Amino acid sequence: MNHLEIYLASRKQKLAYQYALWLLSWDQETETPEGAMQYRSDQIEVLSTLAYEVEMDSKRIEAIDFLATHPESLTDDLKVEIKRVKKDLDQLRKIPKQEYIDFQVLLSSAGHIWSNAKKNNDFASYLPTLEKVITYQRKLVKYLATDTVKGYDVLLDLYEPGMTVVDYDHFFNTLKTDLVPFVLKASKVKQTLTRKLTKGHFPKAAQIAFNTYLLSVFKYDQSKGVLKQSAHPFTSGVASVDTRITTAYHEDDLRSAIFSTIHEMGHAIYEQQVKPEYDYTELKGGVSMGIHESQSRFYENMIGRSDAFWDVHYEKLVETSPKQFKGITKDAFVKYINQVKRDFIRVEADELTYSLHVMVRYEIEKQLFNGKLKAKDLPKVWNRLYRQYLGLTPKTDTKGVLQDIHWAFGSFGYFPTYALGSAISAQIYHRMNQDFHIESVVRENNIQRINQWLKEHIHQYGKTIEPKDLIIQSTQEPFNPQYYVTYLKEKYTKILGMEA
Amino acid sequence: MNHLEIYLASRKQKLAYQYALWLLSWDQETETPEGAMQYRSDQIEVLSTLAYEVEMDSKRIEAIDFLATHPESLTDDLKVEIKRVKKDLDQLRKIPKQEYIDFQVLLSSAGHIWSNAKKNNDFASYLPTLEKVITYQRKLVKYLATDTVKGYDVLLDLYEPGMTVVDYDHFFNTLKTDLVPFVLKASKVKQTLTRKLTKGHFPKAAQIAFNTYLLSVFKYDQSKGVLKQSAHPFTSGVASVDTRITTAYHEDDLRSAIFSTIHEMGHAIYEQQVKPEYDYTELKGGVSMGIHESQSRFYENMIGRSDAFWDVHYEKLVETSPKQFKGITKDAFVKYINQVKRDFIRVEADELTYSLHVMVRYEIEKQLFNGKLKAKDLPKVWNRLYRQYLGLTPKTDTKGVLQDIHWAFGSFGYFPTYALGSAISAQIYHRMNQDFHIESVVRENNIQRINQWLKEHIHQYGKTIEPKDLIIQSTQEPFNPQYYVTYLKEKYTKILGMEA
């Protein structure tokens, strides 16, 4: 076999293992009975080892190294794929195998330790583990550093290739200058919300009916996915033909399921609309966390929380829960789903304040990897930054530094993509709106038109175009956070009845 | 590594592949979106090939061959396991690899061809495929034949080790002599059934509520399994800690889901109660198809269709569907679920006539492999045997020879275990009844007592005791079909109000 044949044969095996491990993970979150967790985990360990052996097979590595330096005979898609695979491989090779394994072992218990610490508001019990995770991440940064990418940039690049501290500083400084003062002003506006909604009870069966209805409204392709329930909503895609989503129903707050479902559909429609021929390659799926989040936020906020959307669909919601919505106008409902409230918890934050939560985490991570911040000082710094950006001090670490699982998983550099995605979605909205009037299309219940635009300009490309280039190609300019600030200010000035 | 270490390492991998393929199959039947079928099938092909390579690895084979001839240092369980694995391996080695692959390819389209033929009542379109399957099976018989096991016995042994034509002839002759005349007599008794049941409509939601209730009645361990829905009910177990079941709801016949759920729970409780330490070995799961079916039939018929059972649970059923059951007595319901009707379709057959359907298939298979019967003559022979045993002639092949998928899957030798299992369950019932009065235990809603007995005498052993020995050990005597005939005659004489 020549180099290309060797590569293609190993890719086939790698994707098959990936598929099996993907399904095991989906099943774990949605169905595996409690008593089977250990058995499943033992099987995953064996399958992961087998998959790792395929990935690190010397013949495969030799083939990739060769093809990366002799790309002439490759198709354009294969050139991109080999470049991507080579980058991953080079990174993996730079990490000493034993350290990599030790870190995986550390992670396997870290989530549990974090979860207990959060439950007991006991940061001290989590600190030794967190310190070990950070120590490994700092070593990782050194291993993966190149001439041009160093320090925190190494971690940022893992989640959003091409984005650096310089880029993110520019982004977050824009928010600090333009958005933080506006949020302060906005949060002083008195919002009157009906108790029937804020203190209501919304039976699950009715919620399921409405969320199922949403699948068809958004044209989520149910021949290529399913909607199930799980403790925390997520999207799990393995290929364009199988991208599944979950939501979670809370009977005291029906917004939760609705906007989770729409958010996850955004992720899923992205992956469903990647060119199907990429399903058998490493080019399937979304290109980066930021672009992915731009899609989920676009659907959730720009469409799902818009006045236009509820002009069409409010009636259906009332129909599924007539008693609960008796006497409540559509306008009151739209106010309710766009309520502004500076609060402690990121995942419960409203659209306006969301990115400020992310900013706190970005500042901390930057200081951890580019500065001298120590893990033991995290609660102090956390609370100081919450006062600074959101004007409030968490009363407990549970509602503060312990709220997110990400760091226990070693995911440093991930958080900023949440805010970045939200900002990119505003830039996409601006550009799309020049091709057609989005609100009108939403009022015509023609979301397929929006799906089509996103497919044409973003989705279809899968992983073939780097995020920064994809933004330029789809919006005709580089990432520009001003669209986001403008969008938020205009929207909330109107909703809150503020003076422009 | 020594031989044992090599074997144990390969077993670990084999079980991991088995786990992945098990989950893929479960997901396919219960969840995989339609559009993902081809992709899934492609991944299964790769994973199956990888699993086959592990199984046929020369070092592993050498280790098994060595351990089989040098079992002295092995534990008792490992001795049994090596003997089993060696038997499977020897069989696999006797089949020319290319023929094996060609047969798998043939099977991959045979199910579809059968399904179309059944739909269109077109046996001729299926005949060429069926002929090829039979030709392969005849060759298989020759490859696998030993000095003591030949002809149809080879196939029978694949599903019920130790059972031969001599054994089955004895069994079915007992049925022909003792049961067939009784069925003829019984089917002449006029049964009055209320139209409210036979022509009723039973909403799915209420059925789900009652079937979920049944899980706790039978103490199906929901921490080690789940109940879902699928087109055809089945049990899918990978280990004692994860044995899942499905049922299917039909709004025009609520018996269907109830007795499918109980039947599948019988299979599942068996596998859940195997010693958990066998989960990581080849000794997990049920020992044979016949023993497995004896458990499912025991729960379905001996418990689920008994008067005692509905004395306790009829009230709950009425509670879930008060309108549907208004004015219907428990006795009327018990008559309904034990209705006797000679009919064409095996899977819809009542308890009394069920084994006669199986007998037809056994006679045909015997003539195919020990006689001169040709595939093209199957419809003719089928209809003749239905006249002989059930007194009726199928009007179409769809309701006749085309009704079951088994032969399209190459499963010859499988059918007899269905009747055998039913008969074994009666022998178990007889023996258990000497330890405690089963009806009383059922009336006390203490099915856990029954589960415990079956665990102690049958379930816990997994695959460590050969079926014939297991019957002797658990019932104190070899398989004796007379218990089955006696049980059926007593039950139906009473239910139909016949003279004893």
Side-chain angles (χ1 to χ4, degrees):
Chain A
M1 293 206 289
N2 65 32
H3 290 109
L4 182 58
E5 286 163 346
I6 290 170
Y7 172 71
L8 295 178
S10 79
R11 181 177 76 179
K12 208 167 161 182
Q13 293 190 359
K14 192 184 159 200
L15 293 181
Y17 282 118
Q18 191 187 76
Y19 183 88
L21 290 164
W22 162 79
L23 188 61
L24 264 68
S25 154
W26 164 260
D27 187 73
Q28 174 181 346
E29 298 302 329
T30 59
E31 199 139 272
T32 306
E34 188 55 32
M37 285 296 176
Q38 182 59 47
Y39 193 72
R40 181 200 51 77
S41 157
D42 292 336
Q43 309 313 317
I44 287 181
E45 193 185 322
V46 179
L47 291 166
S48 303
T49 307
L50 290 165
Y52 182 84
E53 280 166 13
V54 166
E55 187 150 11
M56 298 305 274
D57 178 77
S58 59
K59 283 224 168 66
R60 170 186 157 92
I61 292 178
E62 197 187 304
I64 292 169
D65 285 340
F66 177 87
L67 294 169
T69 47
H70 300 78
E72 308 79 21
S73 62
L74 300 175
T75 63
D76 287 347
D77 281 343
L78 265 171
K79 277 180 194 146
V80 177
E81 176 168 346
I82 290 291
K83 204 175 145 191
R84 292 189 67 90
V85 171
K86 171 94 163 95
K87 185 180 169 186
D88 291 346
L89 184 61
D90 286 345
Q91 291 189 336
L92 207 51
R93 279 191 286 193
K94 285 179 181 171
I95 309 168
K97 192 177 168 186
Q98 194 53 48
E99 284 190 31
Y100 180 79
I101 292 169
D102 290 347
F103 183 60
Q104 301 305 321
V105 172
L106 175 65
L107 291 191
S108 71
S109 63
H112 190 65
I113 292 167
W114 161 80
S115 165
N116 278 335
K118 180 178 174 178
K119 200 164 60 191
N120 303 321
N121 187 39
D122 181 8
F123 181 76
S125 69
Y126 172 47
L127 181 58
T129 305
L130 184 59
E131 278 173 339
K132 281 183 208 152
V133 173
I134 292 173
T135 301
Y136 175 84
Q137 292 286 310
R138 284 181 175 143
K139 280 201 273 181
L140 184 69
V141 163
K142 284 196 184 121
Y143 294 138
L144 302 188
T146 65
D147 291 344
T148 50
V149 184
K150 293 185 205 315
Y152 187 33
D153 283 356
V154 169
L155 300 176
L156 291 172
D157 193 76
L158 291 179
Y159 300 96
E160 196 64 23
M163 283 295 285
T164 64
V165 166
V166 171
D167 299 312
Y168 277 119
D169 275 353
H170 171 67
F171 170 36
F172 286 117
N173 283 334
T174 306
L175 300 189
K176 275 186 232 174
T177 317
D178 287 8
L179 193 62
V180 171
F182 179 80
V183 170
L184 209 69
K185 225 173 88 188
S187 62
K188 284 177 186 153
V189 177
K190 189 170 155 52
Q191 300 162 74
T192 321
L193 300 171
T194 163
R195 257 184 83 83
K196 251 197 118 164
L197 290 174
T198 57
K199 300 283 174 195
H201 177 85
F202 305 90
K204 196 167 150 178
Q207 288 198 50
I208 291 176
F210 186 72
N211 279 268
T212 305
Y213 163 78
L214 288 176
L215 299 180
S216 54
V217 168
F218 282 86
K219 302 284 182 287
Y220 168 75
D221 188 343
Q222 293 179 73
S223 82
K224 298 177 181 172
V226 295
L227 169 66
K228 280 189 82 172
Q229 297 172 43
S230 65
H232 304 282
F234 65 92
T235 298
S236 181
V238 73
S240 75
V241 292
D242 204 343
T243 298
R244 308 176 181 191
I245 57 175
T246 71
T247 196
Y249 298 98
H250 300 284
E251 299 202 322
D252 61 345
D253 188 345
L254 93 166
R255 293 174 301 187
S256 182
I258 291 173
F259 294 103
S260 292
T261 300
I262 301 178
H263 180 96
E264 303 307 333
M265 274 197 289
H267 284 304
I269 290 169
Y270 180 8
E271 299 209 7
Q272 285 186 336
Q273 295 205 115
V274 171
K275 280 184 195 159
E277 59 259 41
Y278 292 161
D279 281 350
Y280 293 86
T281 75
E282 302 265 9
L283 300 171
K284 65 191 165 98
V287 70
S288 70
M289 305 310 294
I291 299 292
H292 235 306
E293 196 69 8
S294 77
Q295 302 308 294
S296 54
R297 294 272 161 194
F298 185 94
Y299 283 89
E300 177 192 349
N301 293 329
M302 271 80 180
I303 306 180
R305 293 187 203 268
S306 72
D307 198 60
F309 186 78
W310 294 101
D311 270 349
V312 191
H313 306 289
Y314 184 65
E315 200 177 328
K316 178 74 184 180
L317 181 64
V318 174
E319 199 179 284
T320 56
S321 296
K323 214 179 76 188
Q324 281 78 5
F325 282 94
K326 199 170 171 198
I328 296 177
T329 63
K330 185 220 74 182
D331 287 346
F333 179 72
V334 171
K335 270 201 178 153
Y336 172 58
I337 62 173
N338 285 293
Q339 177 188 13
V340 174
K341 194 178 174 207
R342 289 183 303 162
D343 215 330
F344 303 109
I345 307 298
R346 177 184 61 86
V347 295
E348 295 168 6
D350 56 75
E351 189 183 358
L352 183 63
T353 58
Y354 183 80
S355 58
L356 308 187
H357 292 262
V358 175
M359 201 155 75
V360 170
R361 290 147 179 83
Y362 170 71
E363 294 293 340
I364 287 176
E365 291 186 348
K366 196 169 71 170
Q367 290 178 45
L368 274 175
F369 295 97
N370 287 0
K372 292 192 188 311
L373 181 60
K374 291 195 174 73
K376 72 174 172 56
D377 297 324
L378 283 180
K380 204 174 58 190
V381 179
W382 182 282
N383 292 350
R384 182 171 54 72
L385 288 167
Y386 261 79
R387 267 195 301 279
Q388 194 173 329
Y389 300 145
L390 285 138
L392 31 86
T393 311
K395 287 183 185 58
T396 62
D397 287 336
T398 298
K399 287 184 176 278
V401 68
L402 286 173
Q403 70 182 265
D404 293 310
I405 196 175
H406 299 58
W407 291 341
F409 281 171
S411 301
F412 291 90
Y414 186 155
F415 279 122
T417 67
Y418 287 139
L420 178 69
S422 303
I424 294 171
S425 70
Q427 183 165 336
I428 292 171
Y429 189 91
H430 176 82
R431 181 65 197 79
M432 191 191 290
N433 221 12
Q434 294 171 357
D435 284 354
F436 55 83
H437 188 238
I438 298 176
E439 278 188 23
S440 305
V441 161
V442 170
R443 279 210 173 78
E444 287 157 13
N445 194 16
N446 182 14
I447 290 175
Q448 184 57 33
R449 179 81 189 81
I450 292 165
N451 293 350
Q452 199 51 47
W453 192 98
L454 291 169
K455 179 181 180 178
E456 189 185 326
H457 294 88
I458 296 171
H459 297 177
Q460 61 163 323
Y461 298 109
K463 293 189 165 71
T464 57
I465 301 179
E466 289 297 308
K468 281 190 162 179
D469 298 332
L470 190 60
I471 293 172
I472 295 172
Q473 179 179 310
S474 59
T475 69
Q476 316 296 328
E477 60 179 311
F479 171 58
N480 178 355
Q482 205 53 59
Y483 290 110
Y484 182 45
V485 175
T486 305
Y487 158 80
L488 286 176
K489 283 181 171 177
E490 282 181 3
K491 172 168 179 176
Y492 283 93
T493 297
K494 194 173 161 202
I495 283 182
L496 299 174
M498 295 161 70
E499 282 175 22
Chain B
M1 291 206 290
N2 65 33
H3 290 109
L4 182 57
E5 287 162 345
I6 290 171
Y7 171 70
L8 295 178
S10 79
R11 180 178 77 180
K12 208 168 160 181
Q13 293 191 359
K14 192 184 160 201
L15 293 180
Y17 283 117
Q18 191 187 75
Y19 184 87
L21 290 164
W22 164 78
L23 188 61
L24 264 68
S25 154
W26 165 259
D27 187 73
Q28 174 180 348
E29 299 301 329
T30 58
E31 199 139 273
T32 306
E34 188 55 32
M37 286 296 178
Q38 182 58 48
Y39 193 72
R40 181 199 51 76
S41 154
D42 292 336
Q43 308 314 317
I44 286 181
E45 193 186 322
V46 179
L47 291 167
S48 304
T49 307
L50 289 165
Y52 182 84
E53 280 167 12
V54 166
E55 188 150 11
M56 298 305 273
D57 178 78
S58 60
K59 282 224 168 66
R60 171 186 157 92
I61 292 179
E62 197 187 303
I64 292 169
D65 284 341
F66 177 86
L67 294 169
T69 47
H70 301 78
E72 308 80 19
S73 61
L74 299 175
T75 63
D76 286 348
D77 281 344
L78 265 170
K79 276 180 194 147
V80 176
E81 177 168 346
I82 290 291
K83 205 175 144 189
R84 292 190 68 90
V85 172
K86 171 95 163 90
K87 185 180 170 186
D88 291 347
L89 183 62
D90 285 345
Q91 289 187 338
L92 207 51
R93 281 191 285 194
K94 285 179 181 171
I95 308 167
K97 192 177 167 186
Q98 194 53 48
E99 283 190 31
Y100 180 79
I101 293 169
D102 290 348
F103 184 59
Q104 301 306 321
V105 172
L106 174 65
L107 291 192
S108 70
S109 62
H112 189 65
I113 292 167
W114 162 79
S115 166
N116 278 336
K118 180 178 174 179
K119 199 164 60 193
N120 303 320
N121 188 37
D122 181 8
F123 181 77
S125 69
Y126 170 50
L127 181 59
T129 305
L130 184 58
E131 278 172 338
K132 281 183 208 152
V133 173
I134 292 171
T135 301
Y136 174 83
Q137 292 285 311
R138 283 178 176 148
K139 279 201 273 182
L140 184 70
V141 164
K142 283 195 184 123
Y143 294 139
L144 303 188
T146 64
D147 291 346
T148 50
V149 184
K150 293 185 204 314
Y152 186 35
D153 284 355
V154 169
L155 300 176
L156 292 172
D157 192 76
L158 292 179
Y159 300 94
E160 196 64 23
M163 283 294 285
T164 65
V165 165
V166 172
D167 301 312
Y168 278 118
D169 275 353
H170 171 67
F171 170 37
F172 286 116
N173 283 334
T174 305
L175 300 188
K176 274 186 231 175
T177 319
D178 287 8
L179 192 62
V180 171
F182 179 79
V183 170
L184 208 71
K185 225 172 89 187
S187 62
K188 284 177 184 152
V189 177
K190 188 170 155 52
Q191 300 162 74
T192 321
L193 299 172
T194 162
R195 256 185 82 86
K196 250 197 120 164
L197 290 174
T198 57
K199 300 284 174 195
H201 177 83
F202 305 91
K204 195 167 149 178
Q207 289 198 50
I208 290 177
F210 186 71
N211 279 267
T212 306
Y213 163 78
L214 288 176
L215 299 180
S216 54
V217 168
F218 282 86
K219 301 283 184 288
Y220 168 75
D221 188 342
Q222 294 179 72
S223 81
K224 298 177 181 172
V226 295
L227 168 66
K228 281 188 82 172
Q229 296 173 45
S230 65
H232 304 282
F234 65 92
T235 298
S236 181
V238 74
S240 75
V241 291
D242 204 343
T243 298
R244 307 176 181 191
I245 57 175
T246 71
T247 196
Y249 298 98
H250 300 284
E251 298 202 323
D252 61 344
D253 188 345
L254 92 166
R255 293 175 300 187
S256 181
I258 290 174
F259 294 103
S260 291
T261 300
I262 301 179
H263 181 96
E264 302 308 333
M265 274 197 287
H267 284 304
I269 290 169
Y270 180 8
E271 300 209 6
Q272 285 185 335
Q273 296 204 114
V274 172
K275 281 185 195 160
E277 59 259 42
Y278 292 160
D279 281 351
Y280 293 86
T281 74
E282 302 265 9
L283 300 171
K284 66 190 164 101
V287 70
S288 70
M289 305 309 294
I291 300 292
H292 236 307
E293 196 70 7
S294 77
Q295 301 308 294
S296 55
R297 293 273 162 195
F298 185 94
Y299 283 89
E300 177 192 349
N301 293 329
M302 270 79 180
I303 305 180
R305 292 187 204 268
S306 73
D307 199 61
F309 186 79
W310 295 101
D311 269 349
V312 191
H313 305 289
Y314 184 65
E315 201 177 326
K316 177 76 185 178
L317 180 64
V318 174
E319 201 180 283
T320 57
S321 297
K323 214 181 78 190
Q324 281 78 4
F325 281 95
K326 199 174 172 195
I328 296 176
T329 62
K330 184 219 73 181
D331 287 346
F333 179 72
V334 172
K335 270 200 178 151
Y336 172 58
I337 61 173
N338 285 293
Q339 177 187 15
V340 174
K341 193 176 175 210
R342 289 183 303 163
D343 215 331
F344 303 110
I345 308 298
R346 177 184 61 85
V347 296
E348 295 167 6
D350 57 73
E351 190 184 355
L352 183 63
T353 58
Y354 183 80
S355 60
L356 308 186
H357 292 263
V358 174
M359 202 155 74
V360 170
R361 289 147 179 86
Y362 170 72
E363 294 293 340
I364 287 175
E365 292 186 348
K366 195 168 73 170
Q367 290 178 44
L368 275 173
F369 294 97
N370 287 358
K372 293 191 186 309
L373 180 60
K374 292 196 174 72
K376 71 174 173 56
D377 297 324
L378 282 181
K380 202 175 59 191
V381 179
W382 181 283
N383 293 351
R384 182 171 54 71
L385 288 168
Y386 260 80
R387 266 196 301 279
Q388 193 173 329
Y389 300 146
L390 284 138
L392 31 86
T393 310
K395 287 181 184 60
T396 63
D397 287 335
T398 298
K399 288 184 174 276
V401 69
L402 288 173
Q403 68 181 266
D404 295 310
I405 196 175
H406 300 58
W407 291 340
F409 282 171
S411 300
F412 291 90
Y414 186 156
F415 280 123
T417 68
Y418 287 139
L420 177 67
S422 303
I424 294 172
S425 70
Q427 184 166 334
I428 292 171
Y429 190 92
H430 176 82
R431 181 64 196 80
M432 190 191 293
N433 221 13
Q434 293 170 356
D435 284 354
F436 55 83
H437 189 237
I438 298 176
E439 278 187 25
S440 305
V441 161
V442 170
R443 279 209 173 79
E444 289 157 11
N445 194 17
N446 181 15
I447 290 175
Q448 183 58 32
R449 180 82 190 80
I450 293 166
N451 293 350
Q452 198 51 45
W453 193 97
L454 291 169
K455 179 181 181 179
E456 187 185 328
H457 294 89
I458 297 171
H459 297 177
Q460 61 163 323
Y461 297 109
K463 292 190 165 70
T464 56
I465 301 178
E466 288 297 307
K468 280 190 164 179
D469 298 332
L470 190 60
I471 292 171
I472 294 172
Q473 179 180 310
S474 59
T475 69
Q476 316 295 331
E477 62 178 309
F479 171 59
N480 177 354
Q482 204 54 56
Y483 290 110
Y484 182 46
V485 175
T486 304
Y487 158 79
L488 286 175
K489 282 183 170 176
E490 282 181 3
K491 172 169 180 174
Y492 283 93
T493 298
K494 194 173 162 202
I495 282 180
L496 298 174
M498 295 161 71
E499 282 174 21

